[in-house]
Amino acid sequence: MTPHYGHLIRILGTCTEQAMTNALASMDLTAAQGQIVGYITHSKQPPCPKDIEQAFHLSHPTVSGLLSRLEKKGFIEFRPDENDRRSKRVHLLPKGRELDETMHQTILSTEARLVQGFSEAELDQFHDLLTRALHNMGGYPCKRRQKEEPCK
């Protein structure tokens, strides 16, 4: 029987996402919201929503919903771009900055669980195979068709 890799990858993705969501549940956050906060935390400058859409390969309505919920929960706020008042930038509030360490620890523990029992050689091979599979699917990260638009 031919293995169905996509099915296994989907299950693995769901398991890792659920582990992250469970770890963030006490803060009333989902894995996706936590990842967005992590992205904002480590951005060189506060991103605009379009930057987040492109970084995560998500649609505008999806990002708008995620950011709206993060704003309502007090993790972020929108401020006008200093160079273009028509554009908005996403800024972390203190509550959002506090989340960074929790996210970091959760990622480390989830990834350690994911590769538990792997030898050093297997870890290298696993990384190489995942990277090659991503490349085979259109690059790293995979390309999503998007219109070129400035921040709004």
Side-chain angles (χ1 to χ4, degrees), residues 22-137:
N22 290 344
L24 299 175
S26 66
M27 297 179 183
D28 192 30
L29 288 175
T30 64
Q33 291 169 333
Q35 290 167 345
I36 298 293
V37 170
Y39 174 79
I40 297 166
T41 300
H42 297 283
S43 293
K44 290 181 181 171
Q45 69 172 0
C48 63
K50 184 57 104 179
D51 297 330
I52 296 168
E53 290 171 27
Q54 292 173 349
F56 288 92
H57 305 279
L58 296 172
S59 68
H60 177 74
T62 299
V63 170
S64 292
L66 286 165
L67 293 175
S68 175
R69 286 185 290 283
L70 285 169
E71 183 180 34
K72 286 177 186 165
K73 294 175 184 182
F75 288 93
I76 64 163
E77 71 178 0
F78 293 97
R79 296 182 200 155
D81 186 312
E82 293 175 1
N83 299 319
D84 183 356
R85 292 283 193 206
R86 297 171 297 167
S87 298
K88 293 184 285 184
R89 296 270 173 193
V90 184
H91 292 261
L92 283 180
L93 294 174
K95 188 175 175 181
R97 282 189 280 284
E98 292 170 11
L99 177 62
D100 187 49
E101 185 57 30
T102 301
M103 283 294 298
H104 181 70
Q105 290 306 317
T106 301
I107 290 167
L108 290 177
S109 65
T110 301
E111 289 188 354
R113 187 172 158 201
L114 175 72
V115 296
Q116 185 176 357
F118 285 27
S119 68
E120 279 298 318
E122 289 170 328
L123 289 171
D124 290 341
Q125 185 179 29
F126 186 59
H127 181 270
D128 290 346
L129 292 171
L130 287 173
T131 302
R132 281 176 47 201
L134 285 168
H135 177 76
N136 290 345
M137 293 305 295

